[in-house]
Amino acid sequence: MINETRPRKQSEAVSNMPPAVYLQNITKTFGAVVANDSVDLTVPTGTIHGIIGENGAGKSTVVSILYGFYTADSGSIEINGEPATITNSADAIERGIGMVHQHFMLVPNFTVLENVMLGSEDGFFLRKGKAATRKELQRLSDEYGLDVDPDAVVETLPVGIQQRVEILKALRRGARILILDEPTGVLTPDETDRFFDILRGLRAQGVTVLLITHKLREIMEVTDGVSVMRRGKMVAHKQTSETTREELAELMVGRRVELTTPRIHVDTGPIALEARNLTWHGARGVARLRNVSLILRAGEILGLAGVSGNGQSELLDVLSGIAPVQEGQIIIGNRIINNNTPTDPAELRGLGVAHVPEDRHKRGLVLPFEARENAVLGYHTGPNTGEGRFLSPRALQGHCETLMERFDIRPTNPKLAAAGFSGGNQQKLVMAREIEPEPSIMLIGQPTRGVDIGGISFIHAEIMARKAAGCAILLVSVELDEIMALSDRIAVMNAGEIVGETTRDNADYRQIGLMMAGVSGTGDAGISGMGDTA
Amino acid sequence: MTYLDFLLIFDSALRLATPLILCAMAGLISERAGIVDIGLEGKLLAGAFTAAAVATLTGSAWMGLCAAVASSVFLSMIHGFACITHKGEQIISGIAINILASGATVVASVALFQRGGQTPTLDRDERFSPIDLPSTEALTDIPWLGPLWKELISGHTIPVYIALISVPLIWWLLWRTRFGLRLRAVGEMPAAIDSAGVSVTWLRYRALIIAGILCGIAGAFLSTAHGAGFVREMSAGKGYIALAAMIFGKWKPWSVLAACLLFGFLEAGANRMQGTPLPIVGEIPIEVVLILPYVATVILLAGFFGKAIPPRALGTPYRKER
Amino acid sequence: MTRLPAWIEYLLIPLMNLTLAFAVAAVVVMLIGENPIDALTVMINGAFVYEGALGYTLYYTTSLIFTGLAVSVAFHASLFNIGAEGQAYLGGLGALLVALMLQDWLPMILMIPLCIIGAAAFGALWALIPGWLQAYRGSHIVITTIMFNFIGAGIMVGLLSGSLMRPGQSNPESLLFEDNARMPQLHNLLGEFGIELGRSPLNLSIVFAALACFGVWLLIWRTRWGYALRTMGASEPAAHYAGVPVPRMIVTAMCISGALAGMMAINTVMGDQGKVTLGFPAGFGFTGIAVALMGRSHPVGIILAALLFGALLQGGSELDFEFQTITREMVLLIQGLIILFSGALSLMFVPWMERRFARKEIA
């Protein structure tokens, strides 16, 4: 441990009140995985406290234990200075703990009012509870500026408002300690700012906020104190004012971050893929893509930045043939794809388009299948799998062994189910499968999500090598650092539109951040509207 | 056809619809809580047998009814144990319950009575008799209303009235009480219930208990009110028609009631029309009429008139996620 | 995610589930006041020992292999086909129609394959509609196949008591298959070669059942199509990603499933009764679900499970003769219990096993 701080010492500076939350020696294992290894945590009352760490560092587990979703194997919890046994969410709620989960816990077809009252209905008959909740919503709206229409059906509301409903729900249940698990993942920077204002308002009212995030910027901006987790352990407790981003980053990762894959310069070739004016409507007619146009040239990487949920996933779906083209067209070589000449992933693979999907668990792999079966997913009609209409286990085995050796996938057991591999090795298996046929176009979504540092450099190097070999690559990532490290050109998506494009050399973080937020980027020399280039 | 003929068809339709209504309400409450219940048929059959057997043995229709409820709730609990506690496949569990009931009723019936799977015929006292509602006499002479009251509204057995009352009761329970709010929530988004500190398991078990009670009453109706004893396979697919009616009514109590009455009316009409040719179409074979509810449900499911949207979490066991 | 060793997953757990089902049945027998061992002995004798008993057992096994395979093919596509009962029923109609149209002109060597095709085609047709509705209209296959069982039964009652009814009969049953459209029974067939076999309805269909098993194994595990089918069954998003034409696969899988169920008719209708009778599938379509579950949807497992249930059905009928108070419906009870324990409660022992297994690994 880098900074073994006794709880008393840490809270001294704030006040002599007992801390709102005091965890000691919390340990939790899932099977062979130690999610929390004797974790200590002290959160002074009336502060915003951040817990930061990489994916899988154990942040969510700590708060799940605090909220009674899991019970710790050992360790003790004190709330407001009193020992507490929390075995389920009801215990937590009773002690004034509220939680806003990463995935909202809202009943989509209920109204705001029904959702807020669920679990605190004020007696058996709804009539009375409804009136009381309505009054309470009004009060909370006045006090904290949390304004929502109580009769709106939740599924029709934007995400930012749904999150507000979650907070109202917790407050309605009398929460004085509010846990927020990765709350900003679905918000634009602008929504995030407003959200932080709400948090500051809550703090002013004496509410203690526990903010779980992996974004350093947010910690620096809004928290009073911060605890850093790495591989299930608490590695440091800091006052935010006394630390720096660099220090926290180092604590999180355990060594200096080198997110610089040496970029290889390649002279770009001819246009490999062109999308023209793609517009795409999802369920219930909501426009997910608006007039998206882009060009991919051989030997370059186009990075697509944006807050998740702004149309990147839909764009990948349409370009890879999973979703049909509705309006506009895609041109690959002399094949023109529009709504009259539809395509499918199988045809596109034939045209040399490889697709590394954003979600490897859902799409990229069939988890219960053996690795050797997964190694031909999407290519099962190709030459590596057997003869004629038949599938040969021996061919699958040989093919998989080759991939495992070349891409250093471990364990090197082609018969192991995909579910048995680590995240990094699963991702390498997907990458290997897609790179091996030497595609001329690659669509890559979130290539390093949930992958360890070593795996990240490996995967980045492979992407770079494909580019060097003349492949045209579209890289979609929510990690701006990743986009910056790999791309030659960067396009930014917001609300289904490409709102701007720049070359890597002219790009700067602040400008791209504004564009991700939907704030127009005109006036900056390096950034131009996408319409001009199309 | 006279006014009285119509009344008699409606009267018969109401009786035929009674087990459908009770079972469909059972299915509704179970599926609103997120548990698929194709075991309605089995619970109905088990209820029918237990009611008749216990009524014979004790001489009391009411004891029979209680036993029917108990046996049907027992099967519901097996369903719950498999689907809620052990997160098993709900459809498989439902099929198991149906087959189990169809075997166990005959086995138990033979073991107890040795009459080839039937129970002895029940006496008047061991059955539910029709009850005349008050003021039937007073209204007799009033034209239209008098016969309506006498033939259609009055003169049914207790379970018929229970079935009719169950509909507003279930509606009220689902939309006007805390229990109903939580039950509907658990069928849509169980995680929301769990994070509100309410037990998903116990809510779902309670839904299944209510479903069991309703199916038990339906079973008792079959063997101790409508009929006079148990015969093997006497549920004859009514549990499945109820399932169809529940889907046809889109999981809403009043619409489900309407579907049950429609299906009951079809059957009553078919029984009555048997052998008499209709204008234009001629004689309609009863088989054709009897499959109409299933055909109608398939057409509905195909989305040709309106969309039937089931509860979102239907059929998926609840697992806590990280 | 820990994985259990194969012998625990494929041998021990199924055996434990089976034992549990029989244990509960034994308790029921004891409650009735009889000795479970006696009952079991009667059933075993009835299934294997008495003359011709084995033939009957294998005859039932044949039907169950067909319906079990039918359910399992749909399972691999993650579709729950509860409609095997109705598909088998309609399969009988298909075979009958082919026979009635052609049996006066064609020889046996042509009639039998044509009738089999007729049975398979009608079974497939009866599964095609629910499959199509699932694939293109999103109607839940479980509900539609249940409805189709009833619709099919209604149609069959109408036909068997109407235009297809054999004149001079009081019960609804069909016109007869002539000898050239009947499946040869094995005791006759082997008798020609001088091999004596007890009389039983066991017929050539068992050979077709064995072929079907091999065919299904080949199709599911050794073809590109089977790979696509299993992908779709395991993860629909992954299937979309891989370019598997999901709706078309659903329809095709249901057709194959229905065809297999329809082929059950060649065993009972062509191999034994020589006519289509009212309700001849007699629950074998539903038992097919139990067979597929017990057999873990693998042809070898299905053969074993079909044999088990075949023996139960044949042995169970012996209960009627030997006991006053136990009937053959005991088998239905056992069947329900097996579906409950090895289907719905199949996960019951898994956490416990995993704990034991994990402990071993550490030690």
Side-chain angles (χ1 to χ4, degrees):
Chain A
M1 284 212 193
I2 293 184
N3 188 355
E4 172 100 13
T5 323
R6 298 288 303 167
R8 289 287 165 230
K9 255 191 228 164
Q10 194 193 330
S11 55
E12 259 169 11
V14 183
S15 76
N16 50 9
M17 265 168 77
V21 176
Y22 173 40
L23 304 181
Q24 199 177 21
N25 279 325
I26 296 287
T27 297
K28 175 75 185 169
T29 55
F30 296 102
V33 183
V34 184
N36 281 174
D37 188 356
S38 58
V39 164
D40 292 332
L41 177 68
T42 306
V43 183
T45 305
T47 63
I48 300 177
H49 191 91
I51 300 182
I52 195 164
E54 286 192 295
N55 286 326
K59 310 177 300 262
S60 287
T61 309
V62 181
V63 291
S64 294
I65 288 168
L66 186 56
Y67 194 62
F69 251 49
Y70 302 125
T71 317
D73 301 337
S74 62
S76 65
I77 304 175
E78 278 179 31
I79 303 296
N80 299 323
E82 288 171 26
T85 319
I86 299 175
T87 53
N88 55 43
S89 308
D91 291 344
I93 291 167
E94 192 171 315
R95 294 182 184 275
I97 303 171
M99 179 155 176
V100 176
H101 300 263
Q102 197 174 354
H103 307 286
F104 297 154
M105 299 288 178
L106 297 169
V107 184
N109 57 352
F110 276 20
T111 61
V112 170
L113 188 72
E114 287 174 318
N115 267 297
V116 170
M117 71 190 294
L118 192 65
S120 51
E121 294 90 345
D122 261 358
F124 188 72
F125 303 104
L126 288 187
R127 185 188 292 265
K128 196 179 122 221
K130 273 193 174 169
T133 310
R134 200 176 284 274
K135 208 178 281 175
E136 179 77 1
L137 277 176
Q138 189 59 47
R139 185 185 69 81
L140 293 170
S141 154
D142 294 346
E143 258 176 51
Y144 302 100
L146 291 164
D147 202 18
V148 278
D149 172 11
D151 298 311
V153 175
V154 159
E155 62 192 344
T156 65
L157 297 172
V159 214
I161 304 292
Q162 291 192 16
Q163 188 168 52
R164 202 174 280 185
V165 177
E166 280 280 28
I167 295 173
L168 284 167
K169 215 165 83 176
L171 294 176
R172 161 71 178 142
R173 290 172 194 157
R176 300 296 294 163
I177 300 167
L178 194 59
I179 305 166
L180 303 155
D181 190 4
E182 301 279 4
T184 58
V186 291
L187 303 182
T188 62
D190 183 44
E191 279 178 313
T192 305
D193 286 343
R194 264 179 289 158
F195 173 70
F196 285 162
D197 284 340
I198 291 171
L199 294 192
R200 293 190 189 100
L202 290 169
R203 177 177 59 187
Q205 302 280 337
V207 175
T208 307
V209 177
L210 201 49
L211 178 70
I212 315 303
T213 182
H214 66 278
K215 295 180 185 162
L216 288 165
R217 195 179 321 119
E218 298 176 354
I219 292 289
M220 299 312 290
E221 193 174 329
V222 79
T223 62
D224 301 306
V226 55
S227 302
V228 186
M229 289 194 77
R230 189 174 70 225
R231 294 199 198 127
K233 289 186 175 150
M234 230 12 129
V235 290
H237 303 285
K238 297 278 181 186
Q239 293 298 314
T240 309
S241 53
E242 292 164 9
T243 185
T244 59
R245 287 177 65 138
E246 289 70 25
E247 189 190 14
L248 289 177
E250 198 185 323
L251 286 166
M252 258 169 80
V253 196
R255 62 179 160 93
R256 285 225 168 266
V257 199
E258 289 286 342
L259 256 185
T260 45
T261 309
R263 292 205 300 141
I264 304 168
H265 182 77
V266 184
D267 288 329
T268 54
I271 294 175
L273 179 149
E274 184 177 355
R276 281 190 196 155
N277 306 97
L278 293 175
T279 293
W280 198 83
H281 297 268
R284 283 185 278 123
V286 184
R288 297 290 178 185
L289 295 178
R290 302 164 200 263
N291 221 16
V292 171
S293 299
L294 57 82
I295 289 173
L296 277 187
R297 288 192 178 80
E300 70 163 355
I301 298 176
L302 171 63
L304 196 58
V307 178
S308 75
N310 274 284
Q312 305 96 312
S313 306
E314 288 80 359
L315 182 59
L316 279 180
D317 281 1
V318 171
L319 291 179
S320 65
I322 293 174
V325 175
Q326 293 173 347
E327 290 168 42
Q329 54 185 350
I330 301 169
I331 302 160
I332 298 169
N334 44 24
R335 170 79 162 99
I336 298 174
I337 299 154
N338 58 36
N339 75 332
N340 292 320
T341 54
T343 186
D344 61 68
E347 189 205 348
L348 287 176
R349 280 195 185 88
L351 291 172
V353 181
H355 176 202
V356 176
E358 291 184 297
D359 188 338
R360 62 172 168 271
H361 285 174
K362 232 172 86 182
R363 276 197 180 145
L365 296 168
V366 182
L367 290 177
F369 275 19
E370 293 169 355
R372 59 180 182 174
E373 292 177 299
N374 272 298
V376 297
L377 184 68
Y379 300 92
H380 59 279
T381 51
N384 291 322
T385 52
E387 306 216 347
R389 291 173 168 274
F390 292 97
L391 203 68
S392 147
R394 196 174 302 158
L396 295 185
Q397 181 83 10
H399 176 64
C400 190
E401 276 167 0
T402 316
L403 291 186
M404 286 182 146
E405 192 174 336
R406 196 180 134 200
F407 287 82
D408 189 30
I409 300 164
R410 293 178 209 182
T412 42
N413 176 5
K415 288 187 186 173
L416 184 65
F421 289 85
S422 73
N425 281 301
Q426 288 177 341
Q427 189 67 16
K428 279 198 217 165
L429 181 60
V430 176
M431 291 295 292
R433 180 183 72 210
E434 300 303 321
I435 287 175
E436 193 270 344
E438 304 192 337
S440 52
I441 300 164
M442 286 193 83
L443 309 169
I444 303 178
Q446 320 297 349
T448 55
R449 183 180 273 171
V451 174
D452 55 292
I453 300 270
I456 292 177
S457 351
F458 186 93
I459 288 169
H460 282 181
E462 284 293 338
I463 294 175
M464 205 48 93
R466 275 320 298 160
K467 176 185 112 170
C471 183
I473 298 173
L474 177 69
L475 171 72
V476 172
S477 175
V478 291
E479 304 293 338
L480 195 47
D481 293 335
E482 185 165 75
I483 298 271
M484 290 291 214
L486 295 174
S487 312
D488 299 300
R489 283 187 296 136
I490 296 170
V492 184
M493 272 195 101
N494 177 266
E497 280 178 291
I498 291 190
V499 290
E501 196 196 307
T502 176
T503 59
R504 167 64 184 90
D505 302 327
N506 290 331
D508 85 280
Y509 272 86
R510 196 185 66 86
Q511 194 65 32
I512 291 180
L514 284 175
M515 301 191 86
M516 284 164 68
V519 181
S520 169
T522 47
D524 189 293
I527 300 198
S528 62
M530 187 64 208
D532 312 334
T533 48
Chain B
M1 230 173 3
T2 63
Y3 176 58
L4 194 65
D5 282 337
F6 268 113
L7 284 184
L8 288 176
I9 292 182
F10 277 116
D11 180 61
S12 151
L14 183 56
R15 264 181 278 122
L16 288 168
T18 295
L20 303 186
I21 297 169
L22 287 164
C23 286
M25 288 302 135
L28 186 143
I29 206 139
S30 158
E31 300 218 352
R32 277 281 180 176
I35 308 277
V36 181
D37 201 354
I38 62 169
L40 295 173
E41 177 82 3
K43 285 184 255 190
L44 179 66
L45 188 64
F49 167 72
T50 342
V54 172
T56 304
L57 296 173
T58 63
S60 154
W62 285 101
M63 289 302 284
L65 180 76
C66 293
V69 166
S71 68
S72 166
V73 169
F74 174 71
L75 288 182
S76 250
M77 291 301 93
I78 292 180
H79 194 45
F81 182 68
C83 305
I84 306 170
T85 307
H86 285 289
K87 303 178 179 17
E89 185 73 51
Q90 300 175 2
I91 290 155
I92 296 177
S93 167
I95 293 172
I97 282 169
N98 289 341
I99 293 179
L100 205 60
S102 95
T105 48
V106 178
V107 166
S109 167
V110 168
L112 284 171
F113 305 109
Q114 281 125 50
R115 286 170 184 247
Q118 303 198 359
T119 62
T121 309
L122 297 171
D123 292 338
R124 251 183 91 86
D125 310 345
E126 297 163 354
R127 299 177 58 199
F128 288 101
S129 355
I131 47 173
D132 283 324
L133 293 181
S135 60
T136 303
E137 288 306 309
L139 291 168
T140 313
D141 295 334
I142 304 173
W144 298 98
L145 182 64
L148 179 78
W149 189 269
K150 182 164 184 281
E151 300 300 334
L152 184 57
I153 296 177
S154 173
H156 289 289
T157 51
I158 293 270
V160 177
Y161 295 113
I162 298 180
L164 288 176
I165 292 167
S166 75
V167 179
L169 207 64
I170 295 281
W171 174 84
W172 176 81
L173 197 64
L174 282 177
W175 272 274
R176 287 292 181 268
T177 69
R178 176 176 68 193
F179 173 71
L181 183 76
R182 291 177 175 183
L183 188 106
R184 285 182 292 130
V186 90
E188 294 286 338
M189 178 88 190
I193 280 292
D194 194 17
S195 79
V198 179
S199 162
V200 171
T201 306
W202 174 223
L203 254 175
R204 288 189 160 167
Y205 265 107
R206 274 183 289 173
L208 285 184
I209 291 173
I210 297 175
I213 294 172
L214 291 167
C215 285
I217 299 172
F221 169 78
L222 282 187
S223 65
T224 62
H226 194 61
F230 174 82
V231 287
R232 51 168 79 194
E233 298 301 332
M234 86 179 300
S235 52
K238 288 192 168 59
Y240 290 113
I241 302 193
L243 198 68
M246 179 198 70
I247 295 165
F248 204 72
K250 302 176 182 178
W251 292 269
K252 294 180 185 127
W254 293 107
S255 315
V256 172
L257 172 70
C260 291
L261 289 173
L262 174 69
F263 292 173
F265 182 74
L266 279 177
E267 196 183 342
N271 289 338
R272 183 138 183 119
M273 293 299 163
Q274 205 165 11
T276 35
L278 287 179
I280 306 163
V281 281
E283 188 183 330
I284 296 176
I286 188 159
E287 294 82 21
V288 173
V289 181
L290 291 183
I291 62 174
L292 277 180
Y294 305 114
V295 175
T297 306
V298 169
I299 295 173
L300 174 87
L301 279 171
F304 290 117
F305 32 87
K307 196 107 185 93
I309 302 165
R312 213 164 305 221
L314 187 63
T316 39
Y318 178 60
R319 285 189 177 84
K320 282 189 183 198
E321 282 180 35
R322 242 194 277 192
Chain C
M1 214 159 129
T2 43
R3 258 170 72 120
L4 293 169
W7 69 272
I8 292 187
E9 203 175 336
Y10 294 106
L11 204 71
L12 188 63
I13 291 185
L15 274 181
M16 284 172 80
N17 289 325
L18 203 60
T19 314
L20 212 55
F22 276 100
V24 174
V27 171
V28 172
V29 172
M30 284 196 286
L31 284 176
I32 293 173
E34 300 285 350
N35 184 342
I37 305 289
D38 290 349
L40 190 64
T41 317
V42 165
M43 285 176 75
I44 291 173
N45 285 336
F48 299 108
V49 180
Y50 298 145
E51 205 198 322
L54 187 62
Y56 270 95
T57 297
L58 291 176
Y59 165 70
Y60 290 135
T61 305
T62 305
S63 286
L64 291 173
I65 287 177
F66 282 122
T67 54
L69 285 177
V71 177
S72 76
V73 168
F75 267 156
H76 279 295
S78 177
L79 296 164
F80 207 143
N81 178 12
I82 311 196
E85 186 82 2
Q87 290 143 18
Y89 212 170
L90 267 285
L93 179 65
L96 178 70
L97 290 181
V98 171
L100 294 182
M101 275 191 291
L102 301 174
Q103 62 190 1
D104 291 344
W105 293 285
L106 298 180
M108 186 184 233
I109 194 81
L110 288 175
M111 276 319 292
I112 288 187
L114 285 173
C115 285
I116 294 178
I117 291 171
F122 270 60
L125 174 77
W126 213 237
L128 172 107
I129 308 168
W132 185 85
L133 288 170
Q134 166 82 58
Y136 294 97
R137 309 290 308 190
S139 335
H140 203 300
I141 198 115
V142 169
I143 307 292
T144 43
T145 48
I146 290 178
M147 300 297 138
F148 266 68
N149 282 339
F150 285 102
I151 297 171
I155 291 172
M156 291 302 282
V157 174
L159 288 175
L160 292 180
S161 56
S163 49
L164 291 178
M165 185 162 170
R166 185 149 42 106
Q169 284 288 314
S170 54
N171 290 327
E173 51 179 58
S174 76
L175 301 161
L176 295 176
F177 286 74
E178 298 296 339
D179 280 344
N180 61 339
R182 289 198 190 195
M183 202 59 92
Q185 298 200 328
L186 281 192
H187 63 92
N188 289 334
L189 208 61
L190 294 180
E192 307 232 339
F193 298 97
I195 304 168
E196 285 297 318
L197 210 67
R199 273 191 76 84
S200 76
L202 181 63
N203 58 72
L204 212 53
S205 303
I206 195 167
V207 178
F208 289 102
L211 286 175
C213 282
F214 178 72
V216 166
W217 174 81
L218 202 66
L219 185 70
I220 301 286
W221 277 279
R222 286 293 183 271
T223 67
R224 298 169 193 270
W225 186 86
Y227 175 90
L229 179 87
R230 287 183 294 123
T231 302
M232 182 181 84
S235 164
E236 207 174 300
H240 279 294
Y241 162 76
V244 175
V246 170
R248 211 166 68 213
M249 288 295 284
I250 290 178
V251 175
T252 321
M254 279 307 286
C255 284
I256 292 173
S257 175
L260 287 163
M263 282 171 75
M264 184 206 126
I266 69 173
N267 187 42
T268 39
V269 171
M270 288 165 64
D272 179 25
Q273 296 166 342
K275 62 199 172 196
V276 177
T277 55
L278 204 59
F280 78 84
F284 278 64
F286 292 111
T287 311
I289 297 167
V291 170
L293 285 172
M294 267 309 295
R296 308 293 296 255
S297 293
H298 190 285
V300 175
I302 285 171
I303 292 175
L304 294 174
L307 191 61
L308 169 77
F309 281 99
L312 274 174
L313 285 165
Q314 167 56 19
S317 59
E318 216 53 42
L319 289 172
D320 279 344
F321 304 114
E322 298 285 334
F323 294 96
Q324 275 272 299
T325 48
I326 310 182
T327 61
R328 62 168 74 194
E329 273 75 12
M330 197 68 198
V331 173
L332 219 49
L333 183 81
I334 296 174
Q335 191 182 316
L337 289 168
I338 290 178
I339 297 182
L340 185 69
F341 287 118
S342 63
L345 284 169
S346 59
L347 301 174
M348 190 162 60
F349 292 121
V350 172
W352 184 71
M353 287 288 179
E354 273 174 353
R355 245 175 288 138
R356 277 197 71 92
F357 175 62
R359 209 177 291 150
K360 256 187 215 160
E361 210 176 36
I362 290 162

